[in-house]
Amino acid sequence: MSEFIKLIKIIYTLLFIPIYLIIKIFSPFIFLRWSQLQTARVGGLTMETYIYYNYRQSKIKNNIKLIDIFYPEKIISNKFLFNLSKKKLIIFPRNLMIPLEKIDLFFCKFFPFFRSHRFNLTDIRFKNRHLINENKKFLSLKSSQILNKGNRILQKLGIPINKKYVCLIVRDDEYLEKKFPKFNWKYHEYRNSDIEKFIPAIKKLTSKGIYVLRMGSKTKKKLDLNDDLFIDYSNSDQQSDFMDVFLFSSCYFTITTGTGIDTISYVSNKPMVYIGLVPLKGFQYSGRKIISLTKDHYDEKKSKLMTLKEIFKCGIWKADKSQSFKEKFITLKENKPSDILDAVNEMIEKLENKWKPTDEINKLQIKFKETFSKNIKHLFEDDFKITSDYSSNYLIKNKWWLE
């Protein structure tokens, strides 16, 4: 049976050769490109759509001879978000684009002078992360039907209309282990954080009458707080693709450890507090409404915490596997609850127009941005500047980190 299926697939692919040749004939006049859109993970789907859209607007807006087409992966992580992406991009069914992809690979292999129609969207995503418009919401849910539906579910969750709420998303392995059980996610565990360290920040928010929703599809450790303003949405029967997007795009601000789904807030131009962000290459440097805080890096050989310059010098700033830290004898220390609370307090004061940075804080922020820019600017196609902030209180308390 398997051989028969292979034969059918080959015949099906061959049927697309005339279409491919027609595309080639018209290439001098209209050039079609195609790429797979990362749909299996919400962060990839959101950011690839967002950055490509801005890339298109800034780089190839007037190039009428170039048409880009996208097709999804086998898995679509959030169907509501995927449908929104269809309004921004030209997306064709996967079963129509894969045969053309295979044919293009074949022709380019045996006829090197052929210009490939494939391009790497993920590469564009990482090289053009600075292409954002902070004054414009890329993801804006304006229709009355969507707003009414979202508000109805908010009330079911116990949040009155027009009440402020904060989305809190703390990464653990539960979602990925349940969603992709055959894959070993241990290599990513260095990004996990303990939800209990966020309790002081949660209590600070609820004491101000601000609701806090613990986000996520599945979570490993439950947090039982005797607080009516804390809602565990992750274990609620109201959790859905639609509400994930609605909540993250409509919240007061988001507190996150960098999970992927938080990018919905990012592209909605919502204020964000990143806690325990590792690796440093994932630092969201574009956005005046962003405050970040990375985990402390402890050098086991030297028995000391590492400075920012040391993190860059040893190359661990771009590590994307737990094993990479072990090989360099570096242990990641989770942020203290007091440091998390300080970062959240800073965001609250900024949003309430009460934040008044001292000259010392401004100098420390400049020093951080200069050090960071010096070490990452080679990764990007154009010049860029860091507009987000590092946690000011952390910099004040840990001046050694910038030495």
Side-chain angles (χ1 to χ4, degrees):
M1 177 64 72
S2 60
E3 294 299 321
F4 176 73
I5 292 175
K6 286 181 181 179
L7 178 61
I8 294 297
K9 287 182 177 180
I10 291 172
I11 295 173
Y12 179 73
T13 299
L14 292 176
L15 292 175
F16 283 80
I17 290 179
I19 297 174
Y20 181 80
L21 294 177
I22 292 172
I23 291 172
K24 272 297 178 191
I25 292 171
F26 284 94
S27 290
F29 310 102
I30 298 178
F31 193 82
L32 298 183
R33 299 192 308 176
W34 49 75
S35 176
Q36 180 170 266
L37 180 65
Q38 194 179 107
T39 59
R41 304 287 292 276
V42 176
L45 172 59
T46 307
M47 292 307 290
E48 286 193 352
T49 304
Y50 174 55
I51 291 177
Y52 170 79
Y53 183 80
N54 284 291
Y55 173 78
R56 179 87 198 187
Q57 293 294 308
S58 64
K59 298 291 188 69
I60 50 180
K61 182 177 181 180
N62 297 319
N63 190 345
I64 59 174
K65 292 184 178 181
L66 184 65
I67 297 177
D68 289 338
I69 298 171
F70 302 92
Y71 61 92
E73 293 178 303
K74 290 181 179 180
I75 296 174
I76 296 176
S77 54
N78 187 299
K79 293 181 180 179
F80 181 75
L81 187 61
F82 180 64
N83 288 331
L84 291 177
S85 295
K86 287 181 178 180
K87 297 178 181 180
K88 303 288 185 180
L89 309 178
I90 302 173
I91 300 178
F92 280 11
R94 180 180 175 83
N95 59 1
L96 293 182
M97 299 309 300
I98 289 297
L100 291 174
E101 180 102 353
K102 292 178 179 178
I103 294 168
D104 189 62
L105 279 167
F106 174 83
F107 274 95
C108 290
K109 179 179 180 179
F110 292 99
F111 303 96
F113 53 88
F114 266 39
R115 181 183 174 186
S116 175
H117 291 266
R118 291 166 287 114
F119 75 99
N120 191 331
L121 179 57
T122 301
D123 190 47
I124 289 176
R125 169 188 167 189
F126 283 108
K127 287 185 177 180
N128 295 276
R129 281 169 52 197
H130 57 292
L131 293 177
I132 70 169
N133 184 343
E134 295 182 45
N135 298 314
K136 181 180 179 181
K137 290 184 179 180
F138 173 74
L139 184 60
S140 184
L141 307 180
K142 293 181 178 179
S143 80
S144 58
Q145 185 177 4
I146 289 177
L147 291 175
N148 289 336
K149 179 181 178 181
N151 286 329
R152 282 198 305 271
I153 299 176
L154 269 181
Q155 290 178 299
K156 289 181 181 179
L157 287 167
I159 303 177
I161 296 176
N162 297 325
K163 278 290 185 179
K164 293 177 182 176
Y165 66 88
V166 166
C167 290
L168 169 65
I169 178 81
V170 178
R171 190 186 190 282
D172 60 32
D173 289 329
E174 191 71 5
Y175 169 75
L176 292 175
E177 288 176 355
K178 297 293 185 183
K179 186 77 173 179
F180 308 98
K182 295 182 180 180
F183 196 85
N184 184 358
W185 293 101
K186 292 295 183 183
Y187 81 98
H188 247 197
E189 63 185 1
Y190 70 96
R191 295 175 59 194
N192 295 343
S193 294
D194 184 0
I195 183 67
E196 291 187 357
K197 294 185 182 297
F198 291 77
I199 291 177
I202 294 171
K203 289 183 176 180
K204 173 67 176 183
L205 288 162
T206 59
S207 70
K208 294 179 70 66
I210 300 171
Y211 286 80
V212 177
L213 282 84
R214 185 185 185 185
M215 304 297 290
S217 177
K218 295 175 177 65
T219 51
K220 188 164 288 186
K221 182 190 288 188
K222 288 189 176 182
L223 193 61
D224 295 319
L225 293 181
N226 187 22
D227 193 327
D228 292 338
L229 273 66
F230 175 75
I231 299 169
D232 189 353
Y233 168 79
S234 65
N235 290 296
S236 165
D237 57 6
Q238 300 299 328
Q239 195 273 331
S240 67
D241 286 358
F242 167 79
M243 279 308 288
D244 287 350
V245 177
F246 182 86
L247 291 171
F248 274 114
S249 63
S250 306
C251 61
Y252 187 40
F253 68 89
T254 290
I255 305 170
T256 177
T257 56
T259 63
I261 196 170
D262 52 26
T263 55
I264 296 172
S265 287
Y266 184 71
V267 302
S268 302
N269 201 22
K270 290 296 177 180
M272 302 185 71
V273 180
Y274 285 90
I275 302 296
L277 189 63
V278 282
L280 273 177
K281 73 174 183 180
F283 176 72
Q284 293 288 14
Y285 53 81
S286 294
R288 292 178 176 82
K289 299 178 181 179
I290 291 176
I291 298 171
S292 293
L293 183 64
T294 187
K295 290 182 179 180
D296 285 328
H297 294 58
Y298 186 80
D299 189 326
E300 298 287 353
K301 288 185 175 181
K302 296 180 180 179
S303 299
K304 64 181 286 291
L305 292 172
M306 300 173 69
T307 65
L308 180 59
K309 288 181 180 179
E310 289 172 334
I311 293 171
F312 277 114
K313 186 176 181 180
C314 76
I316 204 68
W317 66 278
K318 55 184 176 181
D320 56 3
K321 294 181 176 63
S322 299
Q323 186 62 29
S324 301
F325 293 92
K326 293 177 182 178
E327 290 172 355
K328 291 183 178 289
F329 300 95
I330 293 172
T331 301
L332 292 172
K333 304 278 188 180
E334 287 201 46
N335 301 117
K336 299 174 184 176
S338 58
D339 289 333
I340 297 172
L341 176 59
D342 283 343
V344 171
N345 271 330
E346 182 177 342
M347 177 58 76
I348 292 172
E349 289 185 23
K350 285 183 175 180
L351 294 177
E352 293 179 348
N353 295 317
K354 296 178 181 178
W355 178 250
K356 296 179 180 179
T358 62
D359 290 340
E360 184 181 23
I361 288 176
N362 289 331
K363 288 178 181 178
L364 289 170
Q365 291 289 356
I366 290 172
K367 189 173 183 180
F368 164 75
K369 292 171 184 179
E370 287 177 346
T371 302
F372 205 94
S373 298
K374 180 181 177 182
N375 286 279
I376 68 167
K377 62 183 180 182
H378 65 281
L379 297 175
F380 304 99
E381 292 182 349
D382 297 326
D383 293 333
F384 73 101
K385 67 177 182 178
I386 298 175
T387 56
S388 63
D389 285 337
Y390 202 78
S391 171
S392 296
N393 281 307
Y394 182 88
L395 296 180
I396 287 288
K397 293 178 181 178
N398 302 275
K399 296 185 180 70
W400 58 267
W401 194 61
L402 295 178
E403 295 300 323

